[in-house]
Amino acid sequence: MTFLSPGFLYAALAAAAAVVALHFIVTRQPRAGVLPTARFVPDLPATATARAARPSDLLLMILRILLVLAAGAALAGPILTPSRKADARVILADVSAASLEATGLRDSIHSIYRDGDALVVFDSSARVTGIRALDSLTAGVSQVPRSDPSAGNISTALISAIRAAGSLRERADSIELVIVSPFVADEIDAATDSIRALWPGKARLVRLPIAGDTSPRAATPLTLQTAAGDPLQITAGLGRRQLPSGANIIREPSSGLRPQIPPVSGGAVVEWPITGRPRGALRRQSNDTIGGVIAGRALVIAAFERRWIFPADSIRDANVIARWVDGEPAAVEWRANGGCIRSVAVPVAAIGDLVIRDDFVRFVAALSRDCSARTRLAMSASALGSLRRAGGKAPRDAFRPRSDVQSTLAPWLFALAIAAALTELLVRRRSEPRASPELPRAPVAST
């Protein structure tokens, strides 16, 4: 058994000791003595506090000790757990598009995973899954929902790993970090080193083959189908060198015309209407304003008027490729015919400097990137060394215990404390005399 907050138990033990000490202090009548005069003796019972050799009211003392210990143990949060193992693992599994087939990833984890380990799957987001049985682990990897299948984020995965380690600290003396990933260059960012430093000790890296063709592709210019005067034309002109993906951005498709997937494998058709309804979106009941939008690593901070919303039913088979800063989808993607169709609901303001800003150029580049994302660079040796680091396994005391763990014994201990309190009250009332006799008074001398 272990306690989530052992300080309450220590406080209860101190309070129980005080209860025992108080029961050695009794109030009794003092011995009679001869006084030369009793003029100044008050007309009250004569009592004195003294220390007894044996505690008084043993039954009451036992009930009070039971009350204090039960309440303290309940607040301490007892958890029935088996004895701690020598070590446990937190496994980070990369399920982004950079990984090879899901079977290869599952086979790698199958050889590492042990019952009781924590598994964190990640792409652009991270979530803990399947830490009990290997069957649920395998199903969790193959059926994991992907918010952005084109890129993984190791920083997010490391934060989830630190949180997961808090749930393992009571079951293992040391915790090992294992990262299963192809380790491509775009999966780390400026915060990765700082977050990695929060995990003490080394990490074991299990490297997977990088999915897709890693050879560079011939750059083809971006195609923008729009009317004259569209402010996005300025962005496309300024970022011509940053937008060599061969994507076809359609701002206002002709009536009845359905865009076709480009013949280049992995090409993208980006439907980005100026005033019309984006594919899969519905009009909001009332327009609102949001302060930013993010796609991949491109974050744009500006005031955007939101007129459309992507309901869950209409994008059930789509991938979210851009989100507003409050988490709502701002752009989604459907795969088809070796390419993809993207629907964007981000307004482009004609007034202001939005279209000439570097962050907005990067945002447009992220929306028009290659669907298959075939060109991926492997992580450098220095970056791998920073993730691996030196040292041993992390000790359990390096992680804070989880505060959301529920104790199944606490309600029963609270019930026991309440029962002890009620019984103590009943016993105390029964032990009180119905009419306490007056103690003898000191004689008053006559004058």
Side-chain angles (χ1 to χ4, degrees):
M1 176 183 292
T2 185
F3 293 90
L4 299 176
S5 303
F8 288 103
L9 183 61
Y10 300 148
L13 291 174
V19 169
V20 174
L22 290 176
H23 273 265
F24 278 92
I25 301 176
V26 296
T27 301
R28 62 179 62 176
Q29 180 183 356
R31 292 182 299 175
V34 180
L35 295 176
T37 177
R39 176 182 298 180
F40 301 106
V41 177
D43 189 16
L44 294 172
T47 60
T49 302
R51 185 175 58 185
R54 296 178 58 187
S56 61
D57 300 325
L58 289 177
L59 181 58
L60 287 176
M61 183 184 71
I62 294 173
L63 289 174
R64 289 166 180 169
I65 293 175
L66 181 62
L67 166 62
V68 172
L69 292 180
L75 292 174
I79 299 293
L80 291 175
T81 56
S83 58
R84 287 198 298 267
K85 301 187 298 184
D87 60 354
R89 297 187 181 115
V90 177
I91 304 173
L92 303 184
D94 187 350
V95 295
S96 67
S99 299
L100 202 56
E101 299 295 333
T103 55
L105 178 64
R106 292 197 301 270
D107 291 342
S108 299
I109 299 175
H110 190 282
S111 62
I112 300 172
Y113 181 81
R114 300 175 305 186
D115 188 23
D117 292 343
L119 174 67
V120 178
V121 295
F122 72 95
D123 43 27
S124 60
S125 61
R127 48 269 182 206
V128 179
T129 182
I131 61 173
R132 292 297 180 186
L134 193 60
D135 293 339
S136 61
L137 178 147
T138 306
V141 174
S142 60
Q143 300 174 5
V144 62
R146 299 181 177 182
S147 56
D148 184 357
S150 63
N153 191 322
I154 292 182
S155 296
T156 304
L158 289 173
I159 294 174
S160 297
I162 295 172
R163 293 175 179 172
S167 64
L168 298 180
R169 69 185 302 273
E170 302 300 339
R171 289 182 278 167
D173 293 327
S174 60
I175 303 173
E176 181 184 12
L177 177 63
V178 182
I179 307 176
V180 183
S181 171
F183 298 105
V184 295
D186 59 355
E187 292 189 329
I188 59 175
D189 51 36
T192 303
D193 285 342
S194 300
I195 300 174
R196 175 63 182 88
L198 299 177
W199 184 286
K202 66 177 181 180
R204 177 150 61 108
L205 307 184
V206 179
R207 194 162 188 172
L208 299 175
I210 299 178
D213 184 9
T214 58
S215 59
R217 298 177 56 190
T220 55
L222 178 141
T223 302
L224 179 61
Q225 299 181 20
T226 185
D230 183 2
L232 197 61
Q233 290 178 327
I234 302 175
T235 306
L238 293 175
R240 183 67 63 181
R241 294 184 179 180
Q242 302 182 39
L243 309 174
S245 63
N248 185 9
I249 300 180
I250 303 176
R251 293 284 281 164
E252 287 290 1
S254 304
S255 176
L257 177 63
R258 304 306 300 175
Q260 300 295 323
I261 298 297
V264 179
S265 177
V269 169
V270 183
E271 295 184 356
W272 197 340
I274 300 175
T275 58
R277 181 175 69 88
R279 180 191 294 256
L282 296 177
R283 181 171 290 278
R284 291 177 176 271
Q285 294 182 353
S286 60
N287 296 349
D288 66 353
T289 303
I290 193 69
V293 64
I294 183 171
R297 302 289 191 270
L299 172 63
V300 181
I301 302 298
F304 293 96
E305 182 185 11
R306 295 193 295 186
R307 298 188 296 268
W308 310 99
I309 185 173
F310 289 100
D313 292 340
S314 64
I315 60 173
R316 183 174 302 170
D317 299 327
N319 296 313
V320 178
I321 60 172
R323 292 185 183 273
W324 301 109
V325 290
D326 63 355
E328 285 193 16
V332 295
E333 171 189 275
W334 290 270
R335 297 288 178 133
N337 300 337
C340 63
I341 297 177
R342 294 175 181 148
S343 177
V344 184
V346 179
V348 181
I351 300 175
D353 63 345
L354 175 66
V355 295
I356 63 174
R357 286 165 43 180
D358 289 339
D359 54 354
F360 188 72
V361 173
R362 292 192 297 270
F363 178 77
V364 176
L367 294 180
S368 57
R369 66 176 183 265
D370 190 351
C371 292
S372 61
R374 295 169 62 186
T375 303
R376 296 187 179 92
L377 300 178
M379 196 177 295
S380 64
S382 60
L384 289 174
S386 179
L387 283 178
R388 185 180 292 108
R389 302 207 175 192
K393 299 178 182 178
R396 59 180 296 272
D397 295 333
F399 304 99
R400 296 179 56 185
R402 289 179 53 188
S403 59
D404 58 344
V405 178
Q406 301 296 326
S407 172
T408 57
L409 294 178
W412 297 100
L413 290 173
F414 276 123
L416 179 60
I418 295 173
L422 296 176
T423 306
E424 189 268 348
L425 180 62
L426 180 61
V427 172
R428 183 155 49 88
R429 285 187 176 181
R430 288 187 175 182
S431 62
E432 291 179 354
R434 295 184 178 179
S436 56
E438 293 186 1
L439 294 176
R441 301 169 184 264
V444 179
S446 59
T447 59

